[in-house]
Amino acid sequence: MKARRTVAAALSVLALTAVAACGKDGSPSDTAAPNGSAAPQLPTYTVKTDAKLDGSPAWTEAKKRGKLKIGAKADQPYLGFEDVQTTKRSGFDIEIAKMIAADLGFSADQIEFSTIASANRETAITGGQVDYYVGTYSITQTRKDKGVAFGGPYYIAGQSLLVNKDNTEITGAESTKGKSVCTATGSTSIGNIQKYEAKVTQFDNYSLCVEKLLTKEVDAVTTDDSILKGYAAKNQGKLKVVGTPFSEERYGVGLNKGDAVLQKAINDALKAHEDNGDWKKAYDATLGLSGSAAPAIPALDPIAG
């Protein structure tokens, strides 16, 4: 959704405080769980030493250079985040990228992450700047028409609501009538929430919305639930995500449309790590710190591109 284009500005404000919230190295696993217990640990991934993708141009070139180039977000805590001091990457999308890489035969230290702006994703993928991209990237026909194929989906996001922990009045979109709901200017979230007769407040970025929510100047913030969970995780004990999502965004792994071999390998890797529990462990140690239970794992498209 268009709302996600404004997330970089929103979360960049939080990036300066992410180290304090996430521990010295910015890893979500260093943060306490919502119930005060030790945080769930991130899974570890066994690198396949016999991986071979005959017919995949991207994989062949990656093996030659000894590095896998992966595009990601850098300013979305608990999704795709880069610590400005250590340059360490963390978040659910980063874990998805790493588990796929392991099945392709690349260890974590053989991954070269690149931060790609939302507007440049298709160009980076089709131009070979990255071998694949993982970063709240919705599977859409428009992107397919621009030469992008997708592995996945690996997560189904949807527009939802972020409220203060003690708020018992807002339980979903239907209960926002007459309530002050904040979102980003120009977001498609505006029209979606206005259908429920909410009073919409708009700011240039989501960080301002969250500030107003924490001071109770607005009643809720709305955008993709995955992004809201990141804010909830950074404000444990203060904020919560409520209600059933009232839109659908199918997050996929973007790659060049001409590389069907790599696309299948990505889907195979996702399926394997979903089945062995790594997907759930990765969620619990990242977005799960928001207090929101892991959603159902979506069925993979046989050919998503």
Side-chain angles (χ1 to χ4, degrees), residues 100-295:
I100 292 170
D103 280 24
L104 297 181
F106 295 86
S107 63
D109 60 6
Q110 291 179 297
I111 295 174
E112 181 180 288
F113 281 107
S114 296
T115 302
I116 307 296
S118 294
N120 299 330
R121 290 180 292 197
E122 287 79 40
T123 300
I125 292 168
T126 59
Q129 184 178 342
V130 297
D131 298 313
Y132 59 87
Y133 179 92
V134 188
T136 59
Y137 196 33
S138 295
I139 299 171
T140 68
Q141 187 58 50
T142 298
R143 288 167 178 159
K144 293 178 184 179
D145 292 342
K146 292 181 179 180
V148 175
F150 291 93
Y154 63 89
Y155 187 90
I156 303 295
Q159 187 173 338
S160 195
L161 296 156
L162 183 70
V163 300
N164 282 292
K165 196 77 172 182
D166 60 359
N167 187 316
T168 58
E169 294 183 0
I170 297 179
T171 56
E174 296 80 4
S175 56
T176 59
K177 182 177 181 179
K179 302 294 185 183
S180 176
V181 180
C182 192
T183 193
T185 302
S187 165
T188 55
S189 299
I190 297 170
N192 290 339
I193 196 64
Q194 283 178 331
K195 296 175 183 177
Y196 298 94
E197 301 182 53
K199 297 177 182 178
V200 177
T201 299
Q202 301 178 46
F203 289 104
D204 288 339
N205 55 60
Y206 291 115
S207 64
L208 291 175
C209 283
V210 173
E211 288 177 15
K212 297 298 183 182
L213 178 62
L214 288 167
T215 57
K216 299 191 176 182
E217 295 175 69
V218 298
D219 299 310
V221 177
T222 189
T223 186
D224 282 9
D225 61 348
S226 57
I227 296 170
L228 296 180
K229 287 177 182 180
Y231 281 109
K234 286 192 66 60
N235 294 275
Q236 288 181 27
K238 296 180 180 180
L239 302 176
K240 62 183 178 180
V241 179
V242 297
T244 302
F246 47 99
S247 71
E248 182 177 277
E249 300 291 335
R250 303 167 72 242
Y251 291 169
V253 179
L255 66 146
N256 197 306
K257 194 170 186 176
D259 202 335
V261 174
L262 179 59
Q263 181 186 18
K264 182 180 183 302
I266 288 173
N267 266 7
D268 289 345
L270 287 171
K271 183 67 165 61
H273 289 278
E274 290 168 359
D275 289 348
N276 71 10
D278 285 344
W279 187 99
K280 173 72 162 50
K281 290 178 182 177
Y283 177 91
D284 288 344
T286 55
L287 294 179
L289 296 178
S290 66
S292 297

